[in-house]
Amino acid sequence: MTFSIKTRKNTVDRLKNEELDLLVIGGGITGAGVALQATASGLKTGLVEMQDFAEGTSSRSTKLVHGGIRYLKTFDVGVVADTVQERAVVQGIAPHIPRPFPMLLPIYDDPSSTFDMFSVKIAMDLYDRLAGVTGTQYANYTISREEVLQREPNLKSDKLLGAGVYLDYVNNDARLVIENIKEADELGGLMASHVKVVGVLHDDNGRINGVKAKDLLTDEEFEIKAKMVINTTGPWVTKTLGLDDKNGEGEVIRPTKGVHLVVDSSRLRVPQPTYFDSGIGDGRMIFVVPRENKTYFGTTDTDYTGDYKHPRVEQTDVDYLLKAINNRYPEAEITINDIEASWAGLRPLLSGNGSSDYNGGGSNTGKVSDESFENLIKTASAEKTLSPSQVSRGSSLKVGDDGLITLSGGKITDYRKMAAGAMELIRKLFKELFNKDVREVDSKKLQVSGGHFDPTNVDETMKFYQKIAMDKGMPAADAADLANRFGSNTSRVISYADDVEAAPGLTLADTLSLHYSVNEEMTLNLVDFLLRRTNYVLFHKDELMMKKDAFVDEMARIMEWNEEEKAAATKQLDETIAESSLAYLK
């Protein structure tokens, strides 16, 4: 089944003309998760997103399925339990995306450090217990100062005590979204990007029964009718609620901005994800992550009141991160001119959070005492795990006066659990309001597109798909990249080789990926493909600059662009690359 600009018109026509059971507003990870579960349960489901899928927050994370060991610092055992248990679920339903990659946590003799060598071991043991990995190959361990410097000789040695090593996962956030969206589409959901909700509709009793929408590609406005509507717009939740004057008091979101910077691994080489206190006494922690021969680091955490659609990296963000990174890697001497790419995203924090607890807010400054850890252990012993149907901590599920459902907050790791909590409510409401029984699906086993294989046998499965690609004449590295990106869809990608040869200036892998993404991943422009369907803009800038014209030419051919459309697409891509590389600050 195709999922492309060619099928989009039919999807929009159906949204105009057919009443839905459920309309999801927002095509980030939360909305994508709800849409998939709702469609799988048999509900006639539509989803509209005003940008590309995942273009907002859900493509701008730290790109980890992070266990949140920092939350143990403030006794948020439940948050950690949710996160590490849910992480294993996500790996099961999207086995080609999250991958285990142990985290190194250096410990310094500093009054503002989160952990010392004693407390980090207790925290990691508790973390492993919550994650269910005690006694496995992924169990934590500590290493000495000398061993830390053997692994990372560029780390600051002064006052270094040692380090903890514990399980964490790397992630491809944007691909997790698109794979959920594709699966929902495959199951019959009506998924439409570049459709903006501009108003809401109510029946004669004042109950919400649809929205007014605008197709941003055609400027046409139309109505979408639905028995129920759910708002999953992340940082836009409050703004979306502002369209509904009958909703009553709604959730208030306090967005904060997080920034990440990318340099070549020759400028900052780390063998594994590394996580440390900033070293500047603000109680925050910094990630440094190796990826595709690059190293990226972040993140900042500042309140944000600017353009939600277009958050940018500012000089103060760069200054903060460079100060932290050069403090911990004093010989690196990273400057703004080393930055090859960057991204800025907004976190949809609930305003009820007294302070931003993302990555250790400033109010949490200081070391955890022994007494505190004794209390923590008692808390953990008494902690009861939430049932799978409940919404995760740090998120909110509310029904407005007119019936508009709002699902907000949370973290990317919790998306499946948040969606399951929303679906429990939706099933209940359908029974009460419409006497309709909605089938319950086990969302812990609902695999996404590309993830239809045994999650306990990922490495061998990837080798199998790699071989399929190599049998078409693809180099081993390109074939492995293809398999890891597309998972069980790799054979579909490779099938395009029956009709398509490598485009001038592109590899066969590039060409097949582009054709597949345009035809089956609702890729509508070059930025969709080069930033969100692949990582070219973020982690392959040099290669992208050599291939840019070839990508433009091939996509123009596939999309049948005229010269004006081709020029506009090229301009959009150039602007994206320039902004990502911080040309406006250099």
Side-chain angles (χ1 to χ4, degrees), residues 566-579:
K566 184 176 176 180
T570 304
K571 181 173 182 286
Q572 181 193 29
L573 177 60
D574 287 341
E575 289 172 350
T576 299
I577 294 170
E579 180 164 325

Side-chain angles (χ1 to χ4, degrees), residues 454-469:
D454 181 0
T456 66
N457 197 27
V458 174
D459 290 344
E460 289 303 311
T461 303
M462 291 299 104
K463 289 177 184 175
F464 169 74
Y465 289 126
Q466 179 187 21
K467 185 178 185 305
I468 292 175

Side-chain angles (χ1 to χ4, degrees), residues 536-554:
Y536 261 104
V537 171
L538 297 182
F539 303 126
H540 301 276
K541 184 189 172 188
D542 291 344
E543 186 180 352
L544 172 58
M545 298 313 291
M546 291 188 293
K547 294 179 176 180
K548 190 188 75 169
D549 291 343
F551 275 123
V552 170
D553 289 343
E554 185 64 6

